[in-house]
Each structure stands twice: as structure tokens, then as C-alpha cells.
Amino acid sequence: WTEDICEGALILRHFSVLHEITLLDGIRQIMIKHPFRQLLTPNGHRMSVAMTCCGEVGWVSDSKGYRYSTYDPDNGKPWPYMPDNFFSIAVQAAEEAGFPDFKPDSCLINQYQVGSRLSLHQDKDEKNLGAPIVSFSLGIPATFLFGGMQRTDPVQRYHLAHGDVVVWGGPARLRYHGVAPIKEAAHPLLGTQRINLTFRQAK
Ligand code: MD5
Ligand code: FE
């Protein structure tokens, strides 16, 4: 079922459960050539979340800043092709949420271990801010922090479990958000990690 967060944002509970094997197999193949790595922020802090990408462009961070890049700065190789079934599952979720024209060209794959967190930020490096971001949660649960248009605005908390998909568009697209430190837990397929996939129209 669906749960409204605000105008433009909603949770499709359990949406990707029936696609879990497809998603995990795709992630495994991407990881072989482009392993998860903890990037440095422009301030020189190592992120607690580890990342990799697929699609035409991938999100990267280093001392030069945040940006989308056509290649993995770790090894100079282009990002792996976004699997066709990833693309169609993300498009289907966006449609269900009321965004019929979503054409993702980038998928950021975030790996959270117990204790990993993502501090409040806005996603604004994408060229097309009119397009939504479609986010898939797999593995152990997280508390998602949903703030306002200012970093200091109060946050609402949402529990995101394996299979939940969130679509962030319209006026929600530029809200501050983050992930609280992941609590110890285990998932039968993923063990003690959470994986989040975010599909974006970044180019
Ligand atoms: C996560 N990832 O759970 C989240 C899910 C990221 C990130 O935040 O940047 O990789 S995506 C949540 C999101 C995207 C765009 C807008 C909003 C939330 N929002 O308005 O709250 O790893
Ligand atoms: Fe974000």
C-alpha cells in the first residue's frame, strides 16, 4: 500500500519485495568491477556510507567537490550499464507515484553498515530537478529523517524496511533529509547491512 509523506512524496510499502532477487543479483554484478567505497567529502571527511553507481553517470565526491561523472574516479572506467530490469522497476514505481515520464540515467547504490549514517543534506547536483528521485530500501531497516527547506527546520522520522520504495518529487524534491545511525539488526538475505538504490535523472 501507499503512504503519503507530503505533496510530491510517497512511500510504496513492500513495492520491491518481489524484485529482490533481480535487484540483489544486479548489485552483485555491479560490485564485482566497481566495489563499494567510502568517498571523501570536499572537507576531507570519509563518509560512513559506502557507494557505487551504475548508469550513464554516477555521483562522486572528492576534494574537488560533489558531481556526476561518466566514469569511476577509482579506476577510470565508465560506470556499468544500468540493468534494463532496474530501469523498468524504477519507472514502474515512479508511474505508480504519479510521475509518468521518469527516465533515470543514474543509479547511486548506498551501502550502510551498522552505525552508518547520512547527515542532513539536499540532493541538488542533478540537472533536471523537475524529475523525481526513486529510492529503494533493501536489508536491515533505517530511520529516515525528512526535514524542511532549511537545514535547521524540524524533521519527521519514517521507518523504512526491506522492499519499501520512496518517490521524492515536486515540492519535496529539495527538502533536507538524512538517515539516522543504523541500528544493529540482521536480514535473512543481506545480513547486517542496508542497501539503498536511488534512481535519478542527473544528466
Ligand atoms: C538513503 N539516500 O536512504 C537516501 C534515500 C542520497 C540519499 O539521501 O542522497 O543518496 S534518497 C532520499 C531523498 C532523495 C531526494 C529528496 C528527498 C529524499 N527528500 O526530499 O527528502 O540512502
Ligand atoms: Fe539524498
Side-chain angles (χ1 to χ4, degrees):
W1 69 93
T2 67
E3 202 176 307
D4 284 317
I5 292 180
C6 67
E7 198 189 331
L10 57 85
I11 309 179
L12 306 169
R13 293 284 183 197
H14 316 309
F15 180 91
S16 74
V17 170
L18 82 161
H19 303 295
E20 64 184 12
I21 303 300
T22 303
L23 294 169
L24 291 178
D25 187 57
I27 293 165
R28 189 180 53 77
Q29 306 217 28
I30 293 160
M31 277 174 63
I32 294 172
K33 290 194 171 160
H34 299 265
F36 286 110
R37 81 293 308 282
Q38 290 171 273
L39 299 173
L40 286 177
T41 67
N43 299 328
H45 298 287
R46 199 165 289 283
M47 297 180 73
S48 65
V49 179
M51 300 179 170
T52 189
C53 303
C54 67
E56 292 175 62
V57 292
W59 187 84
V60 298
S61 171
D62 59 20
S63 58
K64 292 184 283 183
Y66 303 130
R67 65 195 173 279
Y68 281 91
S69 168
T70 55
Y71 62 92
D72 180 349
D74 241 40
N75 55 22
K77 286 191 279 193
W79 295 108
Y81 190 80
M82 185 188 299
D84 291 336
N85 45 26
F86 278 38
F87 180 89
S88 45
I89 299 165
V91 166
Q92 197 195 323
E95 264 168 17
E96 201 141 320
F99 297 92
D101 304 317
F102 187 51
K103 289 186 183 61
D105 52 27
S106 178
C107 176
L108 172 63
I109 308 173
N110 292 330
Q111 181 193 49
Y112 295 76
Q113 305 288 357
V114 173
S116 297
R117 60 193 290 277
L118 193 59
S119 51
L120 285 181
H121 67 278
Q122 292 173 297
D123 289 22
K124 53 182 184 189
D125 300 326
E126 300 75 23
K127 278 249 167 63
N128 184 355
L129 293 174
I133 288 181
V134 176
S135 151
F136 289 53
S137 292
L138 297 169
I140 65 177
T143 299
F144 186 80
L145 308 172
F146 183 56
M149 290 302 292
Q150 237 103 16
R151 193 187 295 277
T152 50
D153 287 344
V155 299
Q156 292 166 264
R157 306 166 88 85
Y158 290 91
H159 187 263
L160 295 180
H162 179 81
D164 292 345
V165 174
V166 192
V167 180
W168 308 95
R173 182 65 180 73
L174 287 174
R175 297 275 284 263
Y176 274 90
H177 60 276
V179 177
I182 301 288
K183 292 185 188 142
E184 207 163 292
H187 181 274
L189 291 178
L190 281 128
T192 58
Q193 61 178 327
R194 169 178 191 255
I195 290 184
N196 177 264
L197 298 103
T198 50
F199 293 89
R200 300 147 186 268
Q201 240 165 271
K203 282 204 317 173

